[in-house]
Amino acid sequence: MSVLLRTFIPTDKSIILELYYQFYRSKGASRIAAFATCACIPWFWIFCTLESPSFLKIREQQNRFYPNVDLDKPKVGDFLRYIFQSIWLFFIIQNKSDSKLGHNMSRKIQSYYSWIRKTHNHFIQSPKGKLITKTMLRMNDRTHNIMVLILLVIAALLLVLIITQPFTPMAQFIFMLLLWCIAMSIRLLPGRGTIISLVVLSWIVSCRYLWWRYHYTLIFPDNVSMVFGILLIIAETYIWLVLMLGFFQSLWPLHRKPAALPDDVSTWPTVDIMIPTYNEDISVLAPGVYAAMGIDWPQEKLNIYILDDGRRPFIREFAREAGVHYITRDTNEHAKAGNINHALKLTQGELVAIFDCDHIATHAFLQLTIGWFLKDKKLAIVQTPHHFYSPDPFERNLGSFISTPNESALFYGVVQDGNDTWDASYFCGSAGVLRRTALESIGGFATESVTEDAHTSLKLQRRGFTSAYIRVPMAAGLATESLSSHIGQRIRWARGMTQIFRLDNPLLGKGLKLPQRLCYFNAMLHFLSGVPRLIFLTIPAAFLVLHANIIYAPAIMVILYAFPHISHAVLANNLIQGKYRHFLWNEIYETVMAWYIAVPTTVALIAPHKGTFNVTAKGGLIYESYADWVTAYPYIILLLMNLCGFATAFWRIAYGPSNEVGAVIITTCWVVYNIAILGGALGVDIEARQIRVSPRVAFSMPASLIRDDGYAFPCTITDYSDRGLGIQTNTESNLNIKDSFSLILKYNTEEYLFPCEVMRKVGNDIGVRLKELTVEQRVQFIRCTFARADTWAMWQSQYKEDKPMQSFREVMIMNFKSYLKIVSYTPKFLRFVLMGFTYIIMFVVSFAPQNIATEKQ
Amino acid sequence: MPVIAIQGINEGAGATSVSAGLGYALFQLGVSVLLIDLSPTNMLRLHFNTPYKHHDGWARSVVDDESWEKAALRYTDGLDYLPFGSINEKELALLHNHLHDTPKFWEKNLAHIQTTRRYNWIVINTPASDKILAGQGLKSAANIFIILNPQTSCHVRLQQQKLPDNCRLLLNKFYPLSELQRDLHKLWHETKQNFMQPLIHYDEAIAESFAMKQPVGEYRPSSLANEEFITLANWCMVNIRDTQK
């Protein structure tokens, strides 16, 4: 190096260059990169006035303007990066900030929306609008009904016309554009009317799509095409049906408020709290039992039963110590349902509250749920949401806990609440209360399926009993620990629901109202999603590889029909589900489940009596991150199929007939989408570590502590579990590891003291373990922490309103990251190849210009 | 200018410590405070680093027929205190006679202090057993805090003793490890309407600060006791209106 240098440039300069070279090398730059950079420096000296003010200005903000180049650690090709980024800065960023085009656009859109809102208000307040409102209110029921009927008939005729009218591509384009403009214009107006209008628009567009598909596109030139074509139309019909029923189900959530209890305590009913358990560890069971003991209800009207199907002596001993009842039986037939039925014979309470053994109820649970039983004598079920204070495998493995709503958020946030409007909310196995007389009238819990909860609800509703859903989280539990157990749980649900579908179909039989039938039907239909999703994951690859002609239509028509169908559905669902489901996140959930529930549901559909109850494992540990290849293999196969399709696509574009190019491009987009979603699904298969025995709940509350020498200090609880806490102390309190102290927790006006020991210390934050507590203290601790009425009050409030485009980007980035992650778990040889690929891709991507951060004020 | 009289339900309940703590907490919140000691034990001064041999005080001045105002001391800008002064039993009898003859002695004194507009808050440490002195203190204050300890004897006293009208009950030296104490706290909270939400836990910092002759807020600013005195001071700011205007 130095010899080479000295031949060309003066010695003093070459020493500087040598220093540069050594500096770059010490920062980890490769030999080539360091050399190339050093070789460039003299050219700069020669041609650029580096000390000029404009150059200095750029150099000052080098990191802002050129985030893709690290001056200290040059890479090969930095020169090109500079050039690309400069061009980008000059032409794109410059224009953006100068013309303020984007700003103007957004302002115009804003003013358009406010104009619409004004017009809307104006009409309502105008004499004409008032007259209409008045006439509607004054109308008696009969005229009202007749008018609605007439309008419905007219609307139905119009709808038939709109849905079946064949259009030329241009007409279809204009029609869809108009509908989209209407949808975009009204979407920000307040009120239910907007949602209903958007749902109707989506309904029209989707029906039109399906009509077109059935009417024009089911012509198959060969058998392969026919097989795949029929599969696709079945899957599409399924999606359409679920979409329509979903709209119906969640159109109008009820938001039922808890009913007040009478002042006279003697009229309150007696309640049995039942906690069925089979093989769960006592550490999982205990907090739930203590929480149940702390529930506010007259003691003489409350009985707590542990229903142990495992016949374990230590559980009996635990129950005796805690002072709760213990029931066991000699057989295990009908699992949980049988267990509860057995207990029902031995107990007498008017109402039965059932909690899964890991569910911790807040102390106000009964006071907030029982009121409706006294108000409505036909009420058989009150259900409340399940809240999970530990991340489920999806949230843990994808790192999305708390920020993104999980799968159950939609169900407990919107669907159950929507069901309640139609008197079709159903019992979910835990955190619900049932009326004993109602249960006895149907012979106890249903035992025909493995999801006894839904079936029992269905049977009760057939008898004319009503159900209620109170959307206030009052019980929290543990999410499933690993992906395989999560899948196991979902398989059980899917199998059970399919069994009910076959054995006691809600569409048939006596006693149900039509909306109830539809709601239950949709609940079951939801679990049949496995097969259709697998079809969607394989069809595009089949089209590309097998040359199957699946949709008999030109590419442009497919776009004109399918794209509005999808967009309107996304828009309407976004408005209904808002923050309870983020766009595309559910795709990952459903993709992972698809393979595993496809087989059991199909089997259950054919032979509904097969299948047993499997217990969901909870509260386990995962010591090392690992990739669950066994669970992942179906997705790897699907991925390979899609990759094959992707590869064929290039070949077909290059060599295939030119009239197919449009279709190939559409299908390729579809394949890419599949590949991306499968990436997310594979990401879930990497089990992230979970090393805490008891998951901690983040919750900030003031407390105080008393050191053993009598000094007391204020402190703040930052998180807790059932056996320890995280505490923020002040420096003065000077607690060290192994120190003992007493913690004072407040609950309303009561105060309790708990002996603790410091286990960890980082600055002023200490991690403490609760020492041996008496049963009474355990109950008090749960009351002060998990069972506080406000503990889960922030439930779902942390979710942001969904922005579909943003979610789309987030999910796509996450999918890509999943691929990077999964590479490091592959076998050595494959990893080598894949890593090489990854580096090449990252190298190419690193040339792309990057957006610059906005200037600091 | 709100005036708070603090009296223990019995001797040793901690009225003097609470007076000193509350006075200092009010000062920490940025208002000017005058603490007046009406207790013949003359201990309040010792919370403010007064030499033990310092005998001056308002009672001393009254007995010596001097102006009582001169006995006031300044601890720091915004926090003044008026010690009782050390007097013997004979002199105490004299003082009693004097107060008996001028039953509005302290009422007038406070009205006089009021005219100076120098203080935002006045806290009077009132003895538990000396009826004459206590009577004057309680009569001249619009707000009365009776200090309770979570003990059975206090519960008995609550039933037996006639408490001043409109007084509030403040729990001191609460140590929730004791189930009895927790029960008494709950009982009082539920049955006594005038039981105050803020309370003072047992804290070694209070005893230690007294031994160091400093207010707890100064000697142990990060202690629970100081936080609770500040909570109490805030409670006073929110709940006690200026009734003597």
Side-chain angles (χ1 to χ4, degrees), chain A residues 13-34:
Chain A
K13 296 283 181 203
S14 69
I15 288 172
I16 296 178
L17 285 182
E18 257 176 74
L19 286 175
Y20 265 118
Y21 179 80
Q22 276 154 19
F23 173 74
Y24 292 148
R25 289 287 290 148
S26 73
K27 289 281 176 183
S30 67
R31 279 211 183 87
I32 306 171

Side-chain angles (χ1 to χ4, degrees), chain A residues 703-707 709-715 730-733 742 744 746 748-753 755 776-777 780, chain B residues 174-179 182 185-186 189-190 197 199 201-206 208 219-225 227-228:
Chain A
S704 6
L705 58 89
I706 303 182
R707 252 168 25 193
D709 56 7
Y711 289 95
F713 297 93
C715 59
N730 53 28
T731 322
E732 248 61 28
S733 55
S742 306
I744 304 175
K746 291 196 181 99
N748 285 345
T749 58
E750 294 162 41
E751 298 193 358
Y752 301 103
L753 202 123
E776 203 190 352
Q777 280 179 313
Q780 289 161 355
Chain B
F174 181 43
Y175 191 63
L177 183 61
S178 148
E179 197 179 346
R182 285 205 310 264
H185 171 227
K186 199 171 170 185
H189 199 283
E190 280 170 12
Q197 183 91 357
L199 55 86
H201 281 93
Y202 169 80
D203 187 349
E204 191 73 10
I206 297 178
E208 195 194 14
Y219 185 68
R220 287 245 177 228
S222 57
S223 64
L224 180 64
E227 195 196 63
E228 287 176 338

